[in-house]
Amino acid sequence: MKVGAWAFCLLLAAGGAAAASPDEEARDLMRAAQSDLAIGRNPDAVQKLERALAASPSAPLAAEVQASLGSAYLASGRIADAERTLTAATERARQANRPQTLAAALNDLGNLRAAQGRFAEAQSNYREAIDAAGAAGSKALAARASTNLARALADEGRRAEASGMLPKIAAELRTLPASRDKAYGLVSVGRLYARLGDGTRSAGLLREALETADTANDARARSTALGYLAELYDRGGRSADALQLTQRAIVSAEEADAPELLYRWQWHKARLLKAQGTRDEAILAYQHAVRTFSTVRADLAASPGRGAFRESVGPLFAELADVLLDQSGRLADAKVAASYLTDARNTMELFKGAELQDYFQDDCVAALRARTTGIDQLAPQTAALYPIILKDRLELLLTLPDGMKRFTTAVDADTLTREIRSFRVLLEKRTTAEYYPHARKLYDWIIGPLAAELDRQQISTLVIVPDGALRTIPLSALHDGQQFLVARYAIATTPGLTLTDPRPLPRENARVLLNGLTSGVQGFAPLPYVGQELDAIHTLYGGRVLRDGDFTVSNMEKDLAETPYSIVHIASHGQFAAEVDKTFLLTYEDRLSMSKLEQFLGLSKFRTQPVELLTLSACETAAGDDRAALGLAGVAIKAGARSALATLWTVNDPASAIVVSDFYRALRDPAISKAKALQQAQLGALKDPRYRHPNYWSAFLLIGNWL
């Protein structure tokens, strides 16, 4: 035992404990945070670094902690927090004369701004970082910032300038001793050469990186160099060499216990095997990649640009679903073919859960899955539609009471997405019928192929698990040429079949908390018909009413802590944004975040069941913002509610009051499901000449449990 450790044990034996100084505490927390970041536990790292900063370390160390915290925020996708913290860290580092810390913070700030397309600011940050790294004598950090500067120039289209920088950066890196930093630096320059079209120099630098990693005996760096060299060979048509290198990269990633690399190389191996036509082996490799990724926190795939989770990781799940669907179509045995369909759907379920977890940046998805078994058997006359948007087609998996059936529409993802975007924008123009051709076309693509089967099985309730851009539109407004879809089916949406608890709860003696704003506050317009809406619901159910000045965050917190409400109704402005920290509901004096809402709904010490229904009757998501719509789709999960009734856009105030009141009126009948109650309310609006246009009624979505 070391002397220091022995002395510490003596202190404990004597009944005393050495109190750590603020600097010691901060350093311990920083080291622990670095370990968390290395394995993708970004929120844990953030929490530790926030504690380290709160410990009030000395000024020089505070600058380092703040720079590390900004970097952790960036890795977690908390862009606003990252920019604010990194900017503050640069000022602190300048004041404390810490050029190394200054260089690191400026480099991260440049990465953030480059990811946002703010290239001029990013380049300025990188140049300052290069100067600061030079002052600190850190060649590795200077080379990293220089490479990032070259990449930002290439991003801006200044390819010749970017290419001209690379020989000098490579030469500087070669002067460094063998280390992980040197190997990674060579990999970065090599990858940039590949992007600029110089495969020969790229391969040379990647091989140098591999030699450096071998000399440093660094398995993680070795895996990185091997994996990117394999990708380069694959693009050059050397698939056999690429497969061999990829297998070596997988072995090194396993040796380094680096799942963030392992899943990437397993994924590349799967693609190579698929291209060779060895489908069974490709499926196995894809499944290994998905399994590896699923063991790593979803934060691992987050990027400074956010919204990139679907673009960066989604293709892995989609490609596996694609080969499973393809294999299903090749099998004569119906039972085995059906198992491949189930595997394809389960693959997309895993992705939907990971995507929601990435959006909310917490474990709400895992917590829900621990409480529910999901949907094993659908009720009579109910079907679940599971669209899977693939690059070249739309797959439709229809789960019926007697099993699953597959339908395929020959429309590529880009064409489908453009049609969805047009439909959404035109739905919000309630003075025209320009939406109609798009409503017809989308009906033909999404519902048309399965309409006969739905009729044959006398389906009356359709539960839809929307994918991607489909989350941004109400499928109730699709049109078959005779009528809207809502006239044929009660429609509900859910973010995932395994993320839905299908058990109904008794509605007798429902306890209701009604919250709403009628007056304009904080720059938002008044909602005068909210009073009518609250009065109508109160007449039906009674309950507690918090209106205007009484509708405050503190009053909500108090009431929800004291009473286990089964229905929580919020009639106020709300916005769902691409970043969860910009998503909010408006109260009289403040904004209620999703995290606060989740906290409040779980407050009651008497609560044994989740809130049965959370209604948000004036929220909106921006047209074309798939990630914001993802937040809306997951609101019931985040809030800990069994169901949510919410709107895709702000509905005309008097129309909203009528639809919501009619929904609650229908809901009083225990024989009517929540989905059918919404259908009745929407059909009522549709029959009113004033509100016939789908803009007035289709924005309402029932999310989660539909019973």
Side-chain angles (χ1 to χ4, degrees), residues 108-423:
D108 281 336
L109 204 51
N111 291 340
L112 184 155
R113 287 166 174 165
Q116 293 179 327
R118 297 158 60 185
F119 297 120
E121 293 172 82
Q123 290 160 24
S124 176
N125 293 144
Y126 291 139
R127 288 191 170 94
E128 282 189 78
I130 294 165
D131 292 341
S138 176
K139 287 185 176 182
L141 185 50
R144 190 186 317 153
S146 296
T147 306
N148 288 335
L149 174 58
R151 186 179 297 110
L153 290 168
D155 287 340
E156 201 179 21
R158 297 159 65 180
R159 296 168 65 89
E161 288 179 68
S163 184
M165 292 181 64
L166 298 185
K168 182 180 178 182
I169 299 171
E172 285 292 319
L173 286 166
R174 291 185 183 109
T175 67
L176 299 175
S179 65
R180 178 179 294 182
D181 281 347
K182 178 179 179 179
Y184 278 171
L186 291 166
V187 166
S188 293
V189 178
R191 291 184 68 203
L192 192 47
Y193 264 126
R195 181 179 159 191
L196 293 170
D198 193 334
T200 302
R201 288 186 179 177
S202 175
L205 281 161
L206 290 170
R207 284 192 289 267
E208 283 186 58
L210 180 57
E211 291 171 10
T212 300
D214 285 337
T215 302
N217 195 26
D218 191 313
R220 187 181 293 267
R222 183 187 303 117
S223 178
T224 302
L226 284 165
Y228 285 122
L229 189 58
E231 289 185 351
L232 183 68
Y233 282 0
D234 183 21
R235 288 194 294 272
R238 298 171 59 179
S239 57
D241 291 335
L243 186 58
Q244 182 186 42
L245 287 170
T246 300
Q247 188 56 48
R248 288 175 60 194
I250 288 170
V251 171
S252 291
E254 290 172 334
E255 180 187 342
D257 190 21
E260 76 282 4
L261 294 175
L262 180 59
Y263 92 87
R264 289 178 59 92
W265 312 143
Q266 289 170 331
W267 182 4
H268 189 211
K269 178 182 177 181
R271 283 175 160 172
L272 289 165
L273 291 169
K274 180 186 176 185
Q276 290 179 359
T278 52
R279 291 186 186 84
D280 288 335
E281 290 181 52
I283 288 171
L284 190 60
Y286 272 122
Q287 288 172 333
H288 284 158
V290 166
R291 193 174 301 120
T292 301
F293 176 77
S294 297
T295 65
V296 182
R297 295 292 293 263
D299 314 75
L300 199 61
S303 78
R306 299 309 285 163
F309 184 87
R310 170 169 281 266
E311 288 73 22
S312 61
V313 182
L316 166 61
F317 293 82
E319 287 168 26
L320 173 54
D322 192 359
V323 293
L324 288 166
L325 291 164
D326 180 64
Q327 195 74 337
S328 172
R330 296 171 182 272
L331 297 170
D333 187 321
K335 192 171 182 180
V336 178
S339 72
Y340 277 93
L341 293 182
T342 301
D343 286 346
R345 189 186 69 186
N346 290 345
T347 296
M348 297 309 295
E349 279 284 294
L350 283 173
F351 173 63
K352 289 176 189 297
E355 193 178 21
L356 278 170
Q357 190 164 318
D358 173 73
Y359 178 83
F360 288 118
Q361 290 292 299
D362 64 18
D363 292 325
C364 60
V365 171
L368 176 64
R369 280 188 171 142
R371 296 195 305 267
T372 178
T373 57
I375 299 168
D376 295 319
Q377 186 68 41
L378 290 167
Q381 297 186 298
T382 300
L385 173 58
Y386 210 106
I388 301 175
I389 301 174
L390 299 175
K391 279 187 178 180
D392 61 341
R393 67 193 189 281
L394 172 64
E395 292 280 358
L396 302 162
L397 300 184
L398 185 66
T399 302
L400 297 153
D402 64 349
M404 191 190 305
K405 297 185 185 299
R406 174 192 177 192
F407 304 85
T408 303
T409 300
V411 57
D412 63 83
D414 290 342
T415 302
L416 176 62
T417 300
R418 281 196 301 272
E419 196 66 29
I420 289 169
R421 299 279 188 253
S422 297
F423 180 52

Side-chain angles (χ1 to χ4, degrees), residues 28-79:
D28 288 343
L29 287 165
M30 280 183 66
R31 282 191 289 270
Q34 290 303 319
S35 299
D36 287 335
L37 287 170
I39 58 174
R41 296 172 61 181
N42 299 334
D44 293 341
V46 165
Q47 187 179 50
K48 289 181 175 69
L49 289 166
E50 286 174 339
R51 285 168 52 200
L53 196 60
S56 300
S58 60
L61 186 58
E64 189 176 345
V65 173
Q66 197 162 30
S68 297
L69 178 58
S71 182
Y73 281 144
L74 188 60
S76 299
R78 294 173 57 175
I79 305 305

